[in-house]
Amino acid sequence: MRAVTWQGKRDVRVENVPDPRIHEPTDAILRITSSGLCGSDLHLYEVLTPFMTPGDILGHEPIGIVEEVGAAVPDLQAGDRVVVPFQIACGNCWMCLTGLPTQCETTQVTGEGMGAALFGYTRLYGAVPGAQAEYLRVPQAQYGPIKIPHGPPDDRFVYLSDVLPTAWQAVRYAEVPEGGSIAVLGLGPIGDMACRVAQVRGAGRVFGVDLVPERLERARERGVETFDLRSFHDEKELVAAIRDETDGRGPDAVIDAVGTEAHGSAAARLAQQASAMLPRKLSGPLAERFAVDRLAALHTAIHLVRRGGTISLSGVYGGTADPLPMLTLFDKQLQIRMGQANVRRWSDDILPYLTDEDPLGVDDFATHRVPLSDAPHAYEMFQRKQEGAVKVLMKP
């Protein structure tokens, strides 16, 4: 089959690889009809290279048709149409039953000290072959896949794999009071969708911050009050402008949908780049022990949110030696919630919104739909924020 493989920093290629096969009775084989390109994939493209191996198959946002199922997968059969969550979980362990499939005790990557295995996402999360391919082996298929109806286009449901539950959890974790205010930092796919979810869940005012004109315009068209980072001399001016809209206090909650690729610390960027350039035997241990994120967005969130408010992190951070302003966090009495989205915890809540009325705007959410063969260009375009790219779907 054809698949998108990682070969090095900013180097992805579409290659022929062996077709996946059933290995365990809880496996299924999926013929992929669409697969998303995620902001998290860009971390593999550039920042998390010490944890990658040439030939790794990328991607974790698939929708498709079941081709084959193992003997211990009673609720799926060939021909079913499904979306597959990005994390791999059993559904039966204590963590899964508690609503935390991202911490599944069956698939935890204990050798790396990490949570549940993920599709297409570094050795830290199991190095499981990913979904930017023609076919996908789906472990724990007795729990993970979400059955959806035939008929509507892939765009209607594909975001159940990641974008929708990640944005949904970000808003739920933010705990915005009815009619309250929320600011979303970063209007890429997750930030954009988080704004939409906040609106349908009753937020009174939604502020969006970014510096890419096309992303600001998309959010503005849906009623988000946007702030262009380029219009402010520094973070203090931005914080002051949003506080002026919230009686001087700041919003009730802030979602950081940017993560470690925020504009900011040049020193942290240099550390990331230096780690990626070292030989693999050195870069991995160095990144694990001393990794430092670029924390500009998180620091903005801390300064922006009102006292007693909540910060919800959906942007990916990977550092283990990040300096945080603990005095400010304590003094402002802030709550911080974060983590990978627990897809199956939220999927039943989200499905009623995926109707023909399309209140979340999923049918036209993608800005680009490209064949799998165009993956190298798609990665470069998305990483450089060119051609108005916000969300890219690949078609095998």
Side-chain angles (χ1 to χ4, degrees):
M1 70 171 183
R2 302 285 281 169
V4 180
T5 64
W6 184 92
Q7 298 297 334
K9 183 177 179 179
R10 298 184 187 177
D11 182 5
V12 300
R13 306 174 194 174
V14 180
E15 297 187 322
N16 287 313
V17 301
D19 289 350
R21 297 180 179 179
I22 296 286
H23 292 290
E24 302 291 340
T26 51
D27 287 351
I29 302 298
L30 182 71
R31 175 174 58 82
I32 295 172
T33 55
S34 293
S35 188
L37 173 55
C38 178
S40 297
D41 293 325
L42 296 184
H43 293 90
L44 312 182
Y45 192 61
E46 181 162 4
V47 178
L48 297 179
T49 57
F51 306 111
M52 299 294 290
T53 301
D56 283 350
I57 299 175
L58 302 174
H60 56 267
E61 298 185 349
I63 183 174
I65 306 298
V66 175
E67 291 281 300
E68 184 181 358
V69 296
V73 184
D75 296 326
L76 286 183
Q77 58 184 0
D80 283 343
R81 188 187 191 197
V82 299
V83 175
V84 179
F86 68 90
Q87 73 247 189
I88 301 168
C90 72
N92 296 314
C93 70
W94 187 90
M95 285 290 183
C96 286
L97 295 174
T98 308
L100 292 170
T102 55
Q103 311 304 321
C104 175
E105 292 168 321
T106 300
T107 72
Q108 277 180 15
V109 187
T110 54
E112 300 288 350
M114 306 299 280
L118 309 179
F119 287 104
Y121 213 80
T122 85
R123 65 171 174 79
L124 296 179
Y125 288 99
V128 181
Q132 291 168 5
E134 294 179 310
Y135 294 91
L136 177 70
R137 172 180 167 251
V138 182
Q140 304 296 329
Q142 80 287 349
Y143 174 67
I146 303 165
K147 286 202 285 189
I148 55 173
H150 290 272
D154 284 357
D155 296 52
R156 180 72 55 85
F157 300 108
V158 65
Y159 306 115
L160 279 170
S161 58
D162 184 349
V163 174
L164 277 168
T166 297
W168 191 273
Q169 178 172 291
V171 174
R172 288 292 299 269
Y173 278 9
E175 296 184 337
V176 185
E178 183 72 25
S181 58
I182 185 169
V184 179
L185 306 181
L187 297 174
I190 302 302
D192 186 340
M193 186 58 72
C195 290
R196 303 179 188 202
V197 172
Q199 289 171 326
V200 302
R201 288 192 55 82
R205 299 185 74 178
V206 179
F207 307 106
V209 180
D210 207 298
L211 48 67
V212 181
E214 294 87 352
R215 297 182 178 193
L216 290 161
E217 181 60 26
R218 272 169 62 101
R220 193 178 303 119
E221 288 176 351
R222 297 190 67 90
V224 176
E225 300 175 58
T226 59
F227 292 79
D228 187 340
L229 275 174
R230 299 169 301 169
S231 301
F232 299 93
H233 178 69
D234 55 25
E235 177 205 73
K236 291 182 179 179
E237 286 189 2
L238 170 66
V239 169
I242 299 178
R243 281 182 176 170
D244 285 345
E245 297 293 329
T246 55
D247 298 323
R249 285 188 295 270
D252 297 306
V254 177
I255 292 174
D256 173 1
V258 178
T260 190
E261 289 191 298
H263 289 72
S265 172
R269 179 173 178 81
L270 285 172
Q272 290 176 344
Q273 292 176 336
S275 176
M277 293 171 64
L278 289 170
R280 289 179 52 80
K281 289 183 179 180
L282 297 176
S283 62
L286 178 66
E288 286 183 66
R289 295 185 60 190
F290 302 113
V292 177
D293 291 300
R294 303 172 73 193
L295 296 171
L298 178 54
H299 282 283
T300 298
I302 292 168
H303 295 145
L304 176 58
V305 70
R306 69 163 170 81
R307 290 178 177 272
T310 302
I311 295 172
S312 174
L313 303 184
S314 62
V316 174
Y317 288 99
T320 58
D322 292 331
L324 291 175
M326 295 304 297
L327 175 62
T328 303
L329 291 167
F330 182 83
D331 179 65
K332 291 186 72 172
Q333 200 167 331
L334 302 183
Q335 300 180 76
I336 301 180
R337 300 195 69 182
M338 67 187 81
Q340 305 276 11
N342 298 287
V343 175
R344 290 308 304 267
R345 179 177 181 180
W346 309 116
S347 57
D348 288 346
D349 294 338
I350 298 169
L351 275 167
Y353 291 88
L354 304 182
T355 63
D356 288 341
E357 287 72 30
D358 194 19
L360 294 172
V362 294
D363 285 349
D364 59 0
F365 190 71
T367 54
H368 294 73
R369 298 169 182 83
V370 302
L372 195 69
S373 58
D374 284 354
H377 171 68
Y379 267 83
E380 181 179 12
M381 173 183 67
F382 190 37
Q383 196 268 343
R384 296 186 177 183
K385 300 178 175 63
Q386 296 174 335
E387 303 178 32
V390 177
K391 189 60 185 180
V392 181
L393 295 179
M394 300 180 189
K395 300 281 187 177

